[in-house]
Amino acid sequence: MKKVIYTRFGGPDVLHLVDSEVPRPGFGQLRIAVRAAAVNAFDWRVREGQKLGAHPVQLPTGLGLDASGVVEEVGEGVADIDVGDAVFGEGIETYAESALMTQWHPMPAELTFAEAAGYPSVVETALRVLDEVQVHAGQTLLVSGAAGGVGSAVVQIARSRDISVIGTAGPANQDYLRSLGVLATTYDDGWVDRVRRLGRVDAALDLAGAGIIPQLVELAGTPDRVLTTADLDAPKLGVRFSGVAGDVQAALVEAARLVADGALRIPVTRAYTLAEVSVAHSDSQSGHTRGRRILVM
């Protein structure tokens, strides 16, 4: 099978497509024929060698976490799933034609494989940060980086909870955010004043890592009302960094429910082949995205 690996830390050019043995599932695992795998910011941060604490890396290694596909083999201890079933979830080195899955759920019938691959990590992150920032119905949440994968999930889940959302994004994504019920503005000069004119901010999320933590604290009123998933230096300013995943299985169940209810839909910005993985990482790191970037097999 074909698989993406890297043997040293660095830029997108360190990623290579190689032939590899098909993995065998251990206890509590599945192997799927991967139909699509998501490109997450976490992936390229690991590839660069950023110190992410709970995720030590031993080279050479593969890459990839989120995927969708068709079950090829079921490991011991796994029940209620059969070969041939379509699933989505989180796995091990999913930038490959076959991969082991450690968390999964039947794929929502409303989604394509490419769409479904983009949900697991971003929905888990969205649910986690909304709970951690403790924003409630009737309050207003400011989201920096609102149009990306996590941002798309955050704003839709927040709106389903009757939380008002002010979102910042690039000019090309203003109409997209407004279509989700967001009070949208751009993040260029004067954005702080524009946010103030849109309303009071009860809490703020930094999903972009754009170096604006002081401004978010100013708008929210206190550091404990701000949380980031993207700025590793934020704790120096008293702002929490959220980077350790919570209950992935519960997030998959909730994602399927929200999709079935019509409360959540995350668009695929662009699909790439495995051979285009370096381009996919370059595009992901450039930001200014809407929804998800996906590798398709």
Side-chain angles (χ1 to χ4, degrees):
M1 69 168 193
K2 297 295 184 183
K3 174 182 176 180
V4 173
I5 70 164
Y6 60 109
T7 60
R8 60 185 176 86
F9 297 117
D13 60 309
V14 304
L15 300 174
H16 299 288
L17 191 60
V18 300
D19 291 312
S20 180
E21 293 185 2
V22 175
R24 298 297 304 275
F27 186 87
Q29 296 179 331
L30 300 174
R31 187 182 76 243
I32 64 169
V34 179
R35 294 290 184 261
V39 177
N40 295 313
F42 173 80
D43 299 339
W44 52 259
R45 287 179 177 135
V46 170
R47 186 210 71 223
E48 286 185 336
Q50 294 186 24
K51 296 184 183 300
L52 299 177
H55 305 278
V57 175
Q58 184 174 354
L59 300 175
T61 187
L63 201 58
L65 182 65
D66 297 344
S68 64
V70 177
V71 177
E72 290 184 317
E73 185 177 358
V74 178
E76 291 185 19
V78 175
D80 301 323
I81 202 80
D82 296 308
V83 171
D85 288 350
V87 299
F88 75 127
E90 290 190 353
I92 302 167
E93 300 179 2
T94 58
Y95 289 14
E97 292 177 332
S98 291
L100 300 180
M101 302 297 286
T102 55
Q103 304 281 346
W104 61 84
H105 188 273
M107 198 177 88
E110 297 86 352
L111 301 179
T112 66
F113 282 109
E115 289 172 329
Y119 280 70
S121 287
V122 298
V123 174
E124 184 282 319
T125 301
L127 293 169
R128 167 166 39 92
V129 298
L130 283 169
D131 289 343
E132 289 179 353
V133 81
Q134 296 183 350
V135 62
H136 306 291
Q139 295 184 317
T140 297
L141 175 68
L142 170 61
V143 181
S144 172
V150 176
S152 293
V154 162
V155 301
Q156 291 178 75
I157 295 170
R159 296 296 297 127
S160 76
R161 297 179 178 182
D162 294 323
I163 297 166
S164 297
V165 179
I166 299 172
T168 65
N173 289 321
Q174 298 295 296
D175 287 343
Y176 167 65
L177 290 181
R178 293 187 184 106
S179 76
L180 300 179
V182 175
L183 298 171
T185 189
T186 55
Y187 46 65
D188 48 8
D189 290 346
W191 72 271
V192 172
D193 289 336
R194 290 196 298 276
V195 166
R196 284 200 179 98
R197 288 195 291 271
L198 289 172
R200 170 184 171 179
V201 172
D202 296 295
L205 293 175
D206 167 38
L207 308 178
I212 59 169
I213 294 297
Q215 292 92 330
L216 295 180
V217 171
E218 177 186 347
L219 288 163
T222 176
D224 63 3
R225 302 298 295 156
V226 180
L227 186 140
T228 181
T229 63
D231 191 333
L232 295 173
D233 292 326
K236 298 176 183 177
L237 299 173
V239 169
R240 290 166 293 164
F241 177 89
S242 183
V244 178
D247 191 336
V248 174
Q249 194 62 46
L252 295 173
V253 173
E254 181 66 358
R257 184 191 71 81
L258 289 165
V259 168
D261 289 347
L264 179 63
R265 200 63 180 256
I266 305 173
V268 174
T269 300
R270 181 177 169 185
Y272 308 77
T273 66
L274 271 183
E276 296 173 313
V277 63
S278 295
V279 177
H281 269 226
S282 294
D283 289 349
S284 176
Q285 287 187 252
S286 72
H288 312 296
T289 191
R290 176 186 306 177
R292 305 292 275 128
R293 299 185 186 277
I294 304 294
L295 300 172
V296 293
M297 312 306 154

